[in-house]
Amino acid sequence: MSRVTQMRIALPSVVLLLVADPAVAQATDCTPSEDPAVIKQAEQKLVLLQRMVGSDGPAKRVDEGGNAEAQQVLEQARSDATQASLVLEEGCGAEAVALATSGLSLASKAFALGKNRGRGSDAVYREVHGRTTSYLQSLEAQPPEVRGIGDADITGLHRQIERAEALAVSGDYNAASNLLKPVVDRLERRLVAIYDQKTVYYEKSFDGPEDEYAYLAQQYQGYQMVFDRFAGSREPPHGEKQMYDKLLASAADLASAAEGHAQTSDWDTALAQIQEAVSHCERAMRLIGIGY
């Protein structure tokens, strides 16, 4: 039964990567997409991934090389391609996009390992790419009236990410990172601005405890981004410093424990702990004068 909960505007910042076991279960458990644009995006990413992990080009060099780590990572990318194809056949565009994106990242890593060079630039690219896609997903999850970025601009940001992914797959990690840096900066500034406002409420519907947990976990991660952004620029009152540090440490412990319970599908415990973690973050935010 669908649950409707009144929630503050949150900052879901984690791109949820779907791990299937077995792959067929992934295909039957996914949620069909109603947006043709999502299906099209999934198809484009999957075609690119399948081409990159085939038997030619960089993939062939990895297969024939002696780098066991690179070969293992490439097999993981191929597994993501297989699972993405399965869920796309079920019409589940969002899941296919997540799997194809994961596969592209793994393929890029495998090719870099196979060359045994450029790992530093590869790591920088993966970090920037991860933040960019997470922040964009977070912004798209917000109500349209508070995003501050129009649909046409969001489409342009998606295209910029796709161009960067193509550069990374070809091994040009520096160019790919440079293409993403202004994007991630813009998204970060916009998401922080959403928080530095008065509280706004809206109705959020959940299909079940797993959906609600994912939402709250993303909210917690979003709060961490805000704390990182303001670290050093906003301090709590001198007498509240100990309380501030205690709240953040407790929130981190609760979030970690909640994740463990979520992995075992103990949703009641996971929800209680992640809700308390979010509450502790909100109390800490008030101590440094940030509205939410």
Side-chain angles (χ1 to χ4, degrees):
M1 182 179 295
S2 175
R3 301 180 60 187
V4 179
T5 305
Q6 191 179 59
M7 304 294 296
R8 295 180 178 86
I9 286 180
L11 187 60
S13 66
V14 176
V15 178
L16 300 178
L17 297 181
L18 306 175
V19 181
D21 185 20
V24 174
Q26 170 80 31
T28 58
D29 292 345
C30 64
T31 304
S33 303
E34 298 180 359
D35 188 352
V38 176
I39 296 294
K40 182 178 180 181
Q41 182 187 15
E43 291 173 344
Q44 292 172 339
K45 283 182 176 287
L46 179 56
V47 168
L48 177 59
L49 175 58
Q50 289 173 333
R51 184 164 66 244
M52 298 315 301
V53 301
S55 58
D56 298 323
K60 182 178 181 180
R61 288 194 293 271
V62 171
D63 287 333
E64 296 178 352
N67 191 317
E69 182 181 2
Q71 292 169 348
Q72 181 180 11
V73 173
L74 181 58
E75 285 307 309
Q76 293 172 351
R78 286 168 171 160
S79 175
D80 279 350
T82 300
Q83 294 177 28
S85 179
L86 286 171
V87 298
L88 188 55
E89 288 178 1
E90 298 291 327
C92 304
E95 288 85 350
V97 168
L99 285 163
T101 299
S102 171
L104 287 168
S105 177
L106 288 168
S108 298
K109 180 180 178 181
F111 300 156
L113 290 171
K115 293 178 182 178
N116 197 29
R117 62 180 178 82
R119 297 186 66 178
S121 59
D122 176 33
V124 171
Y125 163 74
R126 291 201 307 273
E127 189 273 332
V128 175
H129 180 272
R131 286 195 297 132
T132 305
T133 54
S134 295
Y135 292 173
L136 183 53
Q137 185 185 44
S138 298
L139 186 69
E140 290 177 311
Q142 307 305 316
E145 62 271 18
V146 303
R147 289 176 187 165
I149 297 179
D151 290 341
D153 280 347
I154 288 179
T155 299
L157 296 177
H158 275 293
R159 290 174 179 167
Q160 192 89 332
I161 292 172
E162 290 169 0
R163 286 194 290 269
E165 289 171 346
L167 287 169
V169 166
S170 69
D172 195 347
Y173 298 111
N174 286 328
S177 297
N178 290 335
L179 202 60
L180 291 180
K181 286 176 182 177
V183 177
V184 74
D185 181 66
R186 181 184 183 187
L187 290 170
E188 184 180 47
R189 285 186 285 106
R190 182 61 213 144
L191 290 171
V192 170
I194 289 175
Y195 270 96
D196 210 12
Q197 298 172 356
K198 294 181 179 179
T199 303
V200 179
Y201 293 90
Y202 71 105
E203 294 298 316
K204 175 70 178 176
S205 297
F206 299 110
D207 294 329
E210 184 175 1
D211 185 32
E212 184 175 3
Y213 172 80
Y215 178 86
L216 291 170
Q218 292 171 348
Q219 183 176 7
Y220 171 80
Q221 293 296 333
Y223 283 157
Q224 299 313 299
M225 189 197 76
V226 175
F227 286 122
D228 291 343
R229 179 64 180 259
F230 287 114
S233 62
R234 297 196 186 192
E235 294 289 336
H238 180 71
E240 302 291 344
K241 182 66 167 63
Q242 185 175 0
M243 175 59 70
Y244 176 77
D245 292 339
K246 183 178 180 180
L247 285 169
L248 292 185
S250 176
D253 290 341
L254 286 163
S256 178
E259 182 179 0
H261 288 292
Q263 291 175 352
T264 61
S265 298
D266 182 2
W267 297 116
D268 288 341
T269 305
L271 281 171
Q273 290 178 326
I274 196 64
Q275 286 170 346
E276 191 171 359
V278 168
S279 176
H280 285 198
C281 287
E282 291 172 345
R283 289 173 61 192
M285 288 173 73
R286 288 197 294 270
L287 291 177
I288 57 174
I290 299 178
Y292 57 87

